[in-house]
Amino acid sequence: MKLSRIALAGGVAASTVLLIAGPAAAHVSVQPVGEAAKGGYATINFKVPNERDQASTVKLEVNFPADHPLSSVTPQAVPGWDIKVDKSKLDKPIESHGRKITEAVSKVTWTADDSEIAPGFFQQFPVSVGALPEDADQLVFKAIQTYDNKEVVRWIEEPTEGGEEPDSPAPVLKLTAAADDHHGGGAADDAKEGDDHKAADTAASAKETHAAASSSSSDTTARTLGIIGIVIGVAGVAFGVLAGRRRSA
């Protein structure tokens, strides 16, 4: 009896943990496509799961960090969703590629048009962003998720390093070390350029080899024809001499 009570208590505790952890694991999150390097540009996806059984998600609002404004924010079109981009004046202008930026995107809103995120599904909302700050290790985006039953869930609590995950954590984008080429693709371009040079060298070498082979073949043919001509000439002379002797006899 005692063991059964302990087992029952353990099962209830485990179920409680799962019930508490379940909703927290299904929050709005943000992940880069590849890496999000400091000082560079990246494409990031806001992943929005539907954690309700009887309602669909019809709206997502993402607030961009004001402490690290991004000079370039370009959402990718998502079929069935309208996109609105809000900008605000910066308290302190920032420099980007030699230009002074006085305003930045403060919020992007996706509203369902002829689509929605049904129960049991999730949707990703891609955005191209940059230039990412060089003096930060992460960016915090506060998100608001709205359901078709008018319920609003605010994913705005900033997680603390070493602390427990909040009940409604805000999406956090982790930044990696700065890359040599902030726009990305530099290494790939260099490799491609090297491959192009190698291909060109190989083609040139092949052309030279073909030309040499053709020249060698032509020289051999000429020599062969010359020798045949000499042999025919000698035979002709010999035939003429013999014919002359016979007539003289």
Side-chain angles (χ1 to χ4, degrees), residues 7-57:
L8 178 60
V12 171
S15 299
T16 303
V17 171
L18 289 174
L19 289 173
I20 293 175
H27 56 77
V28 175
S29 60
V30 60
Q31 293 293 333
V33 178
E35 290 188 347
K38 297 178 181 180
Y41 288 75
T43 296
I44 59 178
N45 281 324
F46 290 98
K47 182 179 179 180
V48 184
N50 190 331
E51 55 179 9
R52 298 292 182 264
D53 295 329
Q54 303 297 328
S56 296
T57 296

Side-chain angles (χ1 to χ4, degrees), residues 30-130:
V30 60
Q31 293 293 333
V33 178
E35 290 188 347
K38 297 178 181 180
Y41 288 75
T43 296
I44 59 178
N45 281 324
F46 290 98
K47 182 179 179 180
V48 184
N50 190 331
E51 55 179 9
R52 298 292 182 264
D53 295 329
Q54 303 297 328
S56 296
T57 296
V58 294
K59 187 177 181 180
L60 173 69
E61 300 171 69
V62 175
N63 292 280
F64 281 68
D67 54 343
H68 293 291
L70 302 174
S71 60
S72 175
V73 175
T74 307
Q76 179 177 315
V78 179
W81 294 79
D82 290 329
I83 304 174
K84 180 183 178 184
V85 178
D86 291 324
K87 295 183 178 181
S88 60
K89 292 288 184 180
L90 298 177
D91 294 333
K92 182 180 179 181
I94 59 176
E95 293 285 339
S96 179
H97 299 288
R99 296 188 302 118
K100 182 176 289 187
I101 308 298
T102 59
E103 65 176 11
V105 171
S106 56
K107 182 172 68 173
V108 177
T109 303
W110 292 265
T111 304
D113 183 7
D114 57 357
S115 182
E116 59 186 21
I117 308 174
F121 291 85
F122 74 90
Q123 176 69 53
Q124 293 195 105
F125 299 92
V127 183
S128 174
V129 297

Side-chain angles (χ1 to χ4, degrees), residues 191-205:
K192 184 178 183 300
E193 185 177 355
D195 291 341
D196 290 343
H197 284 312
K198 289 179 181 178
D201 292 342
T202 301
S205 178

